[in-house]
Amino acid sequence: NAGVTQTPKFQVLKTGQSMTLQCAQDMNHNSMYWYRQDPGMGLRLIYYSASEGTTDKGEVPNGYNVSRLNKREFSLRLESAAPSQTSVYFCASSIQEDSNQPQHFGDGTRLSIL
Amino acid sequence: GDSVTQMEGPVTLSEEAFLTINCTYTATGYPSLFWYVQYPGEGLQLLLKATKADDKGSNKGFEATYRKETTSFHLEKGSVQVSDSAVYFCALIHNTGRRALTFGSGTRLQVQP
């Protein structure tokens, strides 16, 4: 019963390096999300994908790109990492755009940018 | 825009004490409200939810009632356990438009034996 799987769990990058965070869900959910979690700020939405083939910006999209590769996978890319992107990143999914259905979260990727 | 405000933490309680974590929100229309819990090193798990005014969500001894008149969704538990130590997040989602969660900043609960 995997749910939402994120890789890697930890990563250290140097400023200017690029990286892709992977997320996959096995619940046949239509909608997927990327959040970042910073101390004292809760989770903030970076990008989301309401359904396969669509992506939209969230609250803090600058410096990120996403790809909804297929229904299962939703990746987040940092093209040129900056120290301000040091954070814990969470991927989530939900069955569809229905506010009554909960989002299911992965265990997170802890990313440090030096 | 939408926002969720939670009480500052950490909240430190002794085992079997009564817990209240305050949550208020600002949003147009009638959002759905959630409490999520995050245990150390893990992702967020849905604890309970309420989708309309006066609904009460409950799970694992936790309860919260959707109060539209006070725009609040306070989390309560009658008797906390050490295993309840975690960070608790209040969140809302709209019934229309972008269906992504707006989170509060989280409240850390520490329960001492």
Side-chain angles (χ1 to χ4, degrees), chain A residues 14-91:
Chain A
K14 295 181 180 178
T15 298
Q17 287 185 315
S18 62
M19 176 173 185
T20 299
L21 280 60
Q22 306 288 351
C23 175
Q25 52 88 12
D26 62 2
M27 296 173 283
N28 201 35
H29 284 174
N30 290 301
S31 300
M32 297 185 74
Y33 311 82
W34 276 105
Y35 295 89
R36 59 178 290 174
Q37 183 181 27
D38 300 297
M41 299 186 73
L43 279 74
R44 292 180 293 168
L45 182 68
I46 304 171
Y47 270 93
Y48 72 106
S49 172
S51 61
E52 186 179 356
T54 69
T55 61
D56 287 284
K57 295 179 180 179
E59 184 182 353
V60 288
N62 291 344
Y64 306 95
N65 286 300
V66 291
S67 295
R68 184 72 183 268
L69 305 170
N70 47 56
K71 191 172 185 178
R72 291 186 64 249
E73 298 173 288
F74 188 40
S75 63
L76 178 72
R77 183 161 179 83
L78 288 70
E79 291 290 352
S80 179
S84 61
Q85 295 177 305
T86 294
S87 188
V88 182
Y89 292 85
F90 287 99
C91 178

Coordinates of all heavy atoms in Angstrom, one line a residue, chain A residues 14-91:
Chain A
K14 N 24.6 22.4 -4.7 CA 25.3 23.6 -4.7 C 24.4 24.7 -5.5 O 23.7 24.3 -6.4 CB 26.6 23.5 -5.3 CG 27.6 22.6 -4.5 CD 28.9 22.5 -5.2 CE 29.9 21.6 -4.4 NZ 31.2 21.5 -5.0
T15 N 24.6 25.9 -5.1 CA 23.9 27.0 -5.8 C 24.2 26.9 -7.3 O 25.3 26.7 -7.7 CB 24.3 28.3 -5.3 OG1 24.0 28.4 -3.9 CG2 23.7 29.5 -6.1
G16 N 23.1 26.9 -8.1 CA 23.2 26.9 -9.6 C 23.0 25.5 -10.2 O 22.8 25.4 -11.4
Q17 N 23.1 24.5 -9.3 CA 22.9 23.1 -9.9 C 21.4 22.9 -10.1 O 20.5 23.6 -9.6 CB 23.3 22.1 -8.9 CG 24.9 22.0 -8.8 CD 25.3 20.8 -7.9 OE1 24.8 20.6 -6.8 NE2 26.3 20.1 -8.3
S18 N 21.1 21.9 -11.0 CA 19.7 21.6 -11.3 C 19.4 20.2 -10.7 O 20.3 19.4 -10.4 CB 19.5 21.6 -12.8 OG 20.3 20.6 -13.4
M19 N 18.1 20.0 -10.5 CA 17.6 18.8 -9.9 C 16.1 18.6 -10.2 O 15.4 19.5 -10.3 CB 17.8 18.7 -8.4 CG 17.3 17.5 -7.8 SD 17.7 17.3 -6.1 CE 17.0 15.7 -5.8
T20 N 15.8 17.3 -10.3 CA 14.3 16.9 -10.5 C 13.9 16.1 -9.3 O 14.5 15.1 -9.0 CB 14.1 16.2 -11.8 OG1 14.5 17.0 -12.9 CG2 12.6 15.8 -11.9
L21 N 12.8 16.5 -8.6 CA 12.2 15.7 -7.6 C 11.1 14.9 -8.2 O 10.3 15.4 -8.9 CB 11.6 16.6 -6.5 CG 12.6 17.2 -5.4 CD1 13.7 18.1 -6.1 CD2 11.8 18.0 -4.4
Q22 N 11.1 13.6 -7.9 CA 10.1 12.7 -8.5 C 9.0 12.4 -7.5 O 9.2 12.3 -6.3 CB 10.8 11.4 -8.8 CG 12.0 11.5 -9.7 CD 11.7 11.9 -11.1 OE1 10.5 11.9 -11.5 NE2 12.7 12.3 -11.9
C23 N 7.8 12.2 -8.0 CA 6.6 11.8 -7.2 C 5.8 10.9 -8.1 O 5.5 11.1 -9.3 CB 5.8 13.1 -6.9 SG 4.3 12.7 -6.0
A24 N 5.3 9.8 -7.4 CA 4.4 8.9 -8.1 C 3.4 8.4 -7.1 O 3.6 8.2 -5.9 CB 5.2 7.7 -8.6
Q25 N 2.2 8.3 -7.6 CA 1.1 7.8 -6.8 C 0.4 6.6 -7.5 O 0.3 6.5 -8.7 CB 0.0 8.9 -6.5 CG -0.5 9.6 -7.7 CD -1.7 9.0 -8.3 OE1 -2.4 8.1 -7.8 NE2 -2.1 9.5 -9.5
D26 N 0.0 5.6 -6.6 CA -0.6 4.4 -7.2 C -2.1 4.3 -6.8 O -2.6 3.1 -6.7 CB 0.2 3.2 -6.7 CG 0.2 3.0 -5.2 OD1 -0.5 3.8 -4.5 OD2 0.8 2.1 -4.7
M27 N -2.7 5.4 -6.6 CA -4.1 5.4 -6.1 C -5.1 5.7 -7.3 O -6.3 6.0 -7.0 CB -4.3 6.3 -4.9 CG -3.5 5.8 -3.7 SD -3.5 7.0 -2.4 CE -2.4 8.2 -3.0
N28 N -4.6 5.9 -8.5 CA -5.4 6.3 -9.6 C -6.0 7.6 -9.4 O -7.1 7.9 -9.9 CB -6.5 5.2 -9.9 CG -7.0 5.3 -11.4 OD1 -6.2 5.6 -12.3 ND2 -8.3 5.0 -11.5
H29 N -5.3 8.5 -8.7 CA -5.8 9.9 -8.5 C -5.6 10.7 -9.7 O -4.6 10.6 -10.5 CB -5.1 10.5 -7.3 CG -5.6 10.0 -6.0 ND1 -5.0 10.3 -4.8 CD2 -6.6 9.1 -5.7 CE1 -5.6 9.7 -3.8 NE2 -6.6 9.0 -4.3
N30 N -6.5 11.7 -9.9 CA -6.4 12.6 -11.1 C -5.6 13.8 -10.8 O -4.9 14.3 -11.6 CB -7.8 13.0 -11.5 CG -8.6 11.9 -12.2 OD1 -8.2 11.4 -13.1 ND2 -9.7 11.6 -11.6
S31 N -5.6 14.3 -9.6 CA -5.0 15.6 -9.2 C -3.7 15.3 -8.4 O -3.7 14.5 -7.5 CB -6.0 16.5 -8.5 OG -7.1 16.7 -9.2
M32 N -2.7 16.1 -8.7 CA -1.5 16.0 -8.0 C -0.9 17.4 -7.7 O -1.2 18.4 -8.4 CB -0.4 15.2 -8.7 CG -0.9 13.8 -8.9 SD 0.4 12.7 -9.7 CE 1.5 12.5 -8.4
Y33 N -0.1 17.5 -6.6 CA 0.3 18.9 -6.1 C 1.7 18.8 -5.6 O 2.2 17.7 -5.1 CB -0.6 19.2 -4.9 CG -2.1 19.1 -5.1 CD1 -2.7 17.9 -5.0 CD2 -2.9 20.2 -5.5 CE1 -4.1 17.7 -5.2 CE2 -4.2 20.1 -5.7 CZ -4.8 18.8 -5.5 OH -6.2 18.7 -5.8
W34 N 2.4 19.9 -5.6 CA 3.7 20.1 -5.0 C 3.6 21.3 -4.0 O 3.2 22.4 -4.4 CB 4.8 20.4 -6.0 CG 5.4 19.2 -6.6 CD1 5.2 18.7 -7.9 CD2 6.3 18.2 -6.0 NE1 5.9 17.5 -8.1 CE2 6.6 17.2 -7.0 CE3 6.9 18.2 -4.8 CZ2 7.5 16.2 -6.7 CZ3 7.8 17.1 -4.5 CH2 8.0 16.1 -5.4
Y35 N 4.1 21.0 -2.8 CA 4.1 22.0 -1.7 C 5.5 22.1 -1.2 O 6.3 21.2 -1.3 CB 3.2 21.6 -0.5 CG 1.8 21.6 -0.8 CD1 1.1 20.4 -1.2 CD2 0.9 22.7 -0.6 CE1 -0.2 20.3 -1.4 CE2 -0.4 22.6 -0.8 CZ -1.0 21.4 -1.2 OH -2.4 21.4 -1.4
R36 N 5.9 23.3 -0.6 CA 7.1 23.4 0.1 C 6.7 23.8 1.6 O 5.7 24.5 1.8 CB 8.1 24.4 -0.5 CG 7.6 25.8 -0.6 CD 8.7 26.7 -1.2 NE 9.8 26.9 -0.2 CZ 10.9 27.6 -0.5 NH1 11.1 28.0 -1.7 NH2 11.8 27.8 0.4
Q37 N 7.5 23.2 2.5 CA 7.2 23.5 3.9 C 8.4 24.2 4.5 O 9.5 23.6 4.5 CB 7.0 22.2 4.7 CG 6.6 22.4 6.1 CD 6.4 21.1 6.9 OE1 6.9 20.1 6.5 NE2 5.6 21.2 7.9
D38 N 8.2 25.4 5.0 CA 9.3 26.2 5.7 C 8.9 26.4 7.1 O 7.7 26.5 7.4 CB 9.5 27.5 4.9 CG 9.9 27.2 3.5 OD1 11.0 26.6 3.3 OD2 9.1 27.6 2.6
P39 N 9.9 26.5 8.0 CA 9.6 26.7 9.4 C 8.6 27.9 9.6 O 8.9 29.0 9.1 CB 11.0 27.0 10.0 CG 11.9 26.3 9.1 CD 11.3 26.5 7.7
G40 N 7.6 27.7 10.4 CA 6.7 28.8 10.8 C 5.8 29.2 9.7 O 5.0 30.2 9.9
M41 N 5.8 28.6 8.6 CA 5.0 29.0 7.4 C 4.0 28.0 6.9 O 3.3 28.2 5.9 CB 5.9 29.5 6.3 CG 6.8 30.7 6.7 SD 7.7 31.3 5.3 CE 6.4 32.2 4.5
G42 N 3.9 26.9 7.5 CA 3.0 25.9 7.0 C 3.5 25.4 5.7 O 4.6 25.5 5.3
L43 N 2.6 24.9 4.9 CA 2.9 24.4 3.5 C 2.3 25.4 2.5 O 1.2 25.9 2.7 CB 2.2 23.0 3.3 CG 2.9 21.8 3.8 CD1 2.8 21.7 5.3 CD2 2.5 20.5 3.1
R44 N 3.1 25.7 1.5 CA 2.7 26.6 0.4 C 2.7 25.8 -0.9 O 3.6 25.1 -1.2 CB 3.6 27.8 0.4 CG 3.4 28.7 1.6 CD 4.3 29.9 1.5 NE 5.7 29.5 1.6 CZ 6.8 30.4 1.3 NH1 6.5 31.6 0.9 NH2 8.0 29.9 1.4
L45 N 1.7 26.1 -1.7 CA 1.5 25.4 -3.0 C 2.5 26.0 -4.0 O 2.5 27.2 -4.3 CB 0.1 25.5 -3.5 CG -0.3 24.8 -4.8 CD1 -0.2 23.3 -4.5 CD2 -1.6 25.2 -5.2
I46 N 3.2 25.1 -4.7 CA 4.2 25.5 -5.7 C 3.5 25.4 -7.1 O 3.3 26.4 -7.8 CB 5.4 24.7 -5.7 CG1 6.1 24.7 -4.3 CG2 6.4 25.2 -6.8 CD1 7.3 23.8 -4.2
Y47 N 3.1 24.2 -7.4 CA 2.3 23.9 -8.7 C 1.3 22.8 -8.4 O 1.5 22.0 -7.5 CB 3.3 23.4 -9.8 CG 3.9 24.5 -10.6 CD1 5.1 25.0 -10.3 CD2 3.3 24.9 -11.8 CE1 5.7 26.0 -11.1 CE2 3.9 25.9 -12.6 CZ 5.1 26.4 -12.3 OH 5.7 27.4 -13.1
Y48 N 0.4 22.7 -9.3 CA -0.5 21.6 -9.2 C -1.0 21.2 -10.6 O -0.8 21.9 -11.5 CB -1.7 21.9 -8.3 CG -2.8 22.9 -8.9 CD1 -4.0 22.4 -9.3 CD2 -2.5 24.2 -8.9 CE1 -4.9 23.3 -9.8 CE2 -3.4 25.1 -9.4 CZ -4.7 24.6 -9.9 OH -5.6 25.5 -10.4
S49 N -1.5 20.0 -10.6 CA -2.0 19.4 -11.9 C -3.4 18.8 -11.6 O -3.5 17.8 -10.9 CB -1.1 18.3 -12.4 OG -1.6 17.6 -13.5
A50 N -4.4 19.5 -12.1 CA -5.8 19.0 -11.8 C -6.1 17.7 -12.5 O -6.8 16.9 -12.0 CB -6.8 20.1 -12.3
S51 N -5.5 17.5 -13.6 CA -5.6 16.2 -14.3 C -4.5 16.0 -15.3 O -3.7 16.9 -15.5 CB -7.0 16.2 -15.1 OG -6.9 17.2 -16.1
E52 N -4.3 14.8 -15.8 CA -3.2 14.5 -16.7 C -3.3 15.4 -17.9 O -4.3 15.7 -18.5 CB -3.4 13.0 -17.2 CG -2.3 12.5 -18.0 CD -2.4 11.1 -18.4 OE1 -3.4 10.5 -18.0 OE2 -1.6 10.6 -19.2
G53 N -2.1 16.0 -18.1 CA -2.0 16.9 -19.3 C -2.2 18.4 -18.9 O -2.0 19.3 -19.8
T54 N -2.5 18.7 -17.7 CA -2.6 20.1 -17.3 C -1.8 20.4 -16.0 O -1.6 19.6 -15.2 CB -4.1 20.4 -16.9 OG1 -4.4 19.7 -15.7 CG2 -5.0 20.0 -18.0
T55 N -1.2 21.6 -16.0 CA -0.5 22.1 -14.8 C -0.8 23.6 -14.6 O -1.0 24.3 -15.6 CB 1.0 21.9 -15.0 OG1 1.5 22.6 -16.1 CG2 1.4 20.4 -15.1
D56 N -0.8 24.0 -13.4 CA -1.0 25.4 -13.1 C -0.2 25.9 -11.9 O 0.2 25.1 -11.1 CB -2.5 25.6 -12.7 CG -3.4 25.5 -13.9 OD1 -3.5 26.4 -14.6 OD2 -4.1 24.4 -14.0
K57 N 0.1 27.2 -11.9 CA 0.9 27.7 -10.9 C 0.1 27.8 -9.6 O -1.1 28.1 -9.6 CB 1.4 29.1 -11.3 CG 2.3 29.1 -12.5 CD 2.8 30.5 -12.8 CE 3.7 30.5 -14.0 NZ 4.1 31.9 -14.4
G58 N 0.9 27.7 -8.5 CA 0.3 27.9 -7.2 C 0.8 29.2 -6.6 O 0.9 30.2 -7.3
E59 N 1.0 29.2 -5.3 CA 1.3 30.4 -4.6 C 2.8 30.9 -4.8 O 3.0 32.1 -4.9 CB 1.1 30.2 -3.1 CG 1.3 31.4 -2.2 CD 1.0 31.0 -0.7 OE1 0.6 29.9 -0.5 OE2 1.3 31.9 0.1
V60 N 3.7 29.9 -4.9 CA 5.1 30.2 -5.0 C 5.8 29.5 -6.1 O 6.7 28.7 -5.9 CB 5.8 30.0 -3.6 CG1 5.4 31.0 -2.6 CG2 5.5 28.5 -3.1
P61 N 5.5 29.8 -7.4 CA 6.0 29.0 -8.5 C 7.4 29.4 -9.0 O 8.0 28.6 -9.7 CB 5.0 29.2 -9.6 CG 4.5 30.6 -9.3 CD 4.5 30.8 -7.8
N62 N 7.8 30.6 -8.6 CA 9.1 31.1 -9.2 C 10.3 30.2 -8.9 O 10.5 29.9 -7.8 CB 9.3 32.5 -8.8 CG 8.3 33.5 -9.3 OD1 7.6 33.2 -10.3 ND2 8.2 34.7 -8.7
G63 N 11.0 29.9 -10.0 CA 12.2 29.1 -9.8 C 12.0 27.6 -10.0 O 12.9 26.8 -9.9
Y64 N 10.8 27.2 -10.3 CA 10.4 25.8 -10.4 C 9.7 25.6 -11.8 O 9.0 26.5 -12.3 CB 9.4 25.4 -9.3 CG 9.9 25.6 -7.9 CD1 9.6 26.8 -7.2 CD2 10.7 24.7 -7.3 CE1 10.0 27.0 -5.9 CE2 11.2 24.9 -6.0 CZ 10.8 26.1 -5.3 OH 11.3 26.3 -4.0
N65 N 9.8 24.3 -12.2 CA 9.0 23.9 -13.3 C 8.4 22.5 -13.0 O 9.0 21.8 -12.1 CB 9.8 23.8 -14.6 CG 10.1 25.1 -15.2 OD1 9.1 25.9 -15.5 ND2 11.3 25.5 -15.3
V66 N 7.4 22.1 -13.6 CA 6.8 20.8 -13.3 C 6.4 20.1 -14.6 O 6.3 20.7 -15.7 CB 5.5 20.9 -12.5 CG1 5.8 21.3 -11.0 CG2 4.5 21.8 -13.1
S67 N 6.3 18.8 -14.5 CA 5.9 17.9 -15.6 C 4.9 16.9 -15.1 O 5.3 16.1 -14.2 CB 7.1 17.3 -16.3 OG 7.9 18.2 -16.9
R68 N 3.8 16.8 -15.7 CA 2.8 15.7 -15.4 C 3.1 14.7 -16.5 O 2.5 14.7 -17.5 CB 1.4 16.2 -15.4 CG 0.4 15.1 -15.0 CD 0.4 14.8 -13.5 NE -0.4 13.7 -13.1 CZ -1.7 13.9 -12.7 NH1 -2.2 15.1 -12.7 NH2 -2.4 12.9 -12.4
L69 N 4.0 13.7 -16.2 CA 4.5 12.8 -17.1 C 3.4 11.8 -17.6 O 3.3 11.4 -18.8 CB 5.6 12.0 -16.5 CG 6.8 12.9 -16.0 CD1 7.8 12.1 -15.2 CD2 7.5 13.6 -17.1
N70 N 2.5 11.4 -16.7 CA 1.4 10.6 -17.0 C 0.5 10.7 -15.7 O 0.7 11.5 -14.9 CB 1.8 9.1 -17.2 CG 2.8 8.6 -16.1 OD1 2.5 8.7 -14.9 ND2 4.0 8.2 -16.5
K71 N -0.5 9.8 -15.7 CA -1.5 10.0 -14.6 C -0.8 9.7 -13.2 O -1.1 10.3 -12.2 CB -2.6 9.0 -14.7 CG -3.8 9.3 -13.8 CD -5.0 8.5 -14.1 CE -6.2 8.8 -13.2 NZ -7.4 8.1 -13.5
R72 N 0.2 8.9 -13.2 CA 0.8 8.5 -11.9 C 1.9 9.4 -11.4 O 2.1 9.6 -10.2 CB 1.5 7.1 -12.1 CG 0.5 5.9 -12.2 CD 1.3 4.6 -12.2 NE 2.0 4.4 -11.0 CZ 3.3 4.4 -10.8 NH1 4.1 4.7 -11.8 NH2 3.9 4.2 -9.6
E73 N 2.6 10.1 -12.4 CA 3.8 10.8 -12.0 C 3.8 12.3 -12.2 O 3.3 12.8 -13.3 CB 5.0 10.2 -12.8 CG 5.2 8.7 -12.6 CD 6.3 8.2 -13.5 OE1 5.9 8.0 -14.7 OE2 7.4 7.9 -13.1
F74 N 4.3 13.0 -11.3 CA 4.3 14.5 -11.3 C 5.7 14.9 -10.8 O 5.9 14.8 -9.6 CB 3.2 15.0 -10.5 CG 2.9 16.5 -10.6 CD1 3.0 17.2 -11.8 CD2 2.5 17.2 -9.5 CE1 2.8 18.5 -11.9 CE2 2.3 18.6 -9.5 CZ 2.4 19.2 -10.7
S75 N 6.5 15.5 -11.6 CA 7.9 15.8 -11.2 C 8.0 17.3 -11.0 O 7.4 18.1 -11.7 CB 8.9 15.3 -12.2 OG 8.7 15.9 -13.4
L76 N 9.0 17.7 -10.1 CA 9.3 19.1 -9.9 C 10.7 19.4 -10.2 O 11.6 18.6 -9.7 CB 9.0 19.4 -8.4 CG 9.3 20.9 -7.9 CD1 8.3 21.8 -8.5 CD2 9.3 20.9 -6.4
R77 N 11.0 20.4 -11.0 CA 12.4 20.6 -11.4 C 12.9 22.0 -10.9 O 12.1 23.0 -11.1 CB 12.5 20.5 -12.9 CG 14.0 20.7 -13.4 CD 14.2 20.2 -14.8 NE 15.6 20.4 -15.2 CZ 16.6 19.6 -14.9 NH1 16.5 18.6 -14.1 NH2 17.8 19.9 -15.4
L78 N 14.1 22.0 -10.4 CA 14.8 23.2 -10.1 C 15.9 23.4 -11.1 O 16.8 22.6 -11.2 CB 15.4 23.2 -8.7 CG 14.5 23.3 -7.4 CD1 13.7 22.0 -7.3 CD2 15.3 23.5 -6.2
E79 N 15.8 24.4 -12.0 CA 16.7 24.6 -13.1 C 18.0 25.1 -12.6 O 19.1 24.7 -13.0 CB 16.1 25.5 -14.1 CG 15.0 24.9 -14.9 CD 15.4 23.7 -15.8 OE1 16.6 23.5 -16.0 OE2 14.5 23.1 -16.4
S80 N 18.0 26.1 -11.6 CA 19.2 26.7 -11.1 C 19.0 26.9 -9.6 O 18.4 28.0 -9.3 CB 19.5 28.0 -11.9 OG 20.7 28.6 -11.3
A81 N 19.4 26.0 -8.8 CA 19.0 26.0 -7.4 C 19.6 27.3 -6.7 O 20.7 27.7 -6.9 CB 19.5 24.8 -6.7
A82 N 18.8 27.8 -5.8 CA 19.2 29.0 -4.9 C 19.0 28.6 -3.5 O 18.1 27.8 -3.1 CB 18.4 30.2 -5.3
P83 N 19.8 29.2 -2.6 CA 19.7 28.9 -1.1 C 18.3 29.1 -0.6 O 17.8 28.4 0.3 CB 20.7 29.9 -0.5 CG 21.7 30.1 -1.5 CD 21.0 30.1 -2.9
S84 N 17.5 30.1 -1.2 CA 16.1 30.3 -0.8 C 15.2 29.1 -1.1 O 14.1 29.1 -0.5 CB 15.6 31.5 -1.5 OG 15.6 31.4 -2.9
Q85 N 15.7 28.2 -1.8 CA 14.9 27.0 -2.1 C 15.2 25.8 -1.2 O 14.6 24.7 -1.3 CB 15.1 26.5 -3.6 CG 14.6 27.6 -4.6 CD 14.8 27.2 -6.0 OE1 16.0 26.9 -6.4 NE2 13.8 27.1 -6.8
T86 N 16.0 26.1 -0.2 CA 16.2 25.1 0.9 C 14.9 24.9 1.6 O 14.3 25.9 2.1 CB 17.3 25.6 1.8 OG1 18.5 25.6 1.1 CG2 17.4 24.7 3.0
S87 N 14.4 23.7 1.6 CA 13.0 23.5 2.2 C 12.8 22.0 2.2 O 13.6 21.2 1.8 CB 12.0 24.2 1.3 OG 10.7 24.2 1.9
V88 N 11.6 21.7 2.8 CA 11.1 20.3 2.7 C 10.0 20.3 1.6 O 9.0 21.1 1.8 CB 10.6 19.7 4.0 CG1 10.1 18.3 3.8 CG2 11.7 19.8 5.0
Y89 N 10.1 19.5 0.7 CA 9.1 19.4 -0.4 C 8.2 18.2 -0.3 O 8.6 17.1 -0.1 CB 9.8 19.4 -1.8 CG 10.5 20.7 -2.1 CD1 11.8 20.9 -1.6 CD2 9.9 21.7 -2.8 CE1 12.5 22.1 -1.8 CE2 10.6 22.9 -3.1 CZ 11.9 23.1 -2.5 OH 12.5 24.3 -2.8
F90 N 6.9 18.5 -0.4 CA 5.9 17.4 -0.3 C 5.1 17.4 -1.6 O 4.6 18.4 -2.1 CB 4.9 17.7 0.9 CG 5.6 17.4 2.2 CD1 6.0 18.5 3.0 CD2 5.7 16.1 2.7 CE1 6.6 18.2 4.2 CE2 6.2 15.9 3.9 CZ 6.7 16.9 4.7
C91 N 4.9 16.2 -2.0 CA 4.0 15.9 -3.1 C 2.7 15.3 -2.5 O 2.7 14.6 -1.5 CB 4.6 14.9 -4.1 SG 3.6 14.4 -5.5

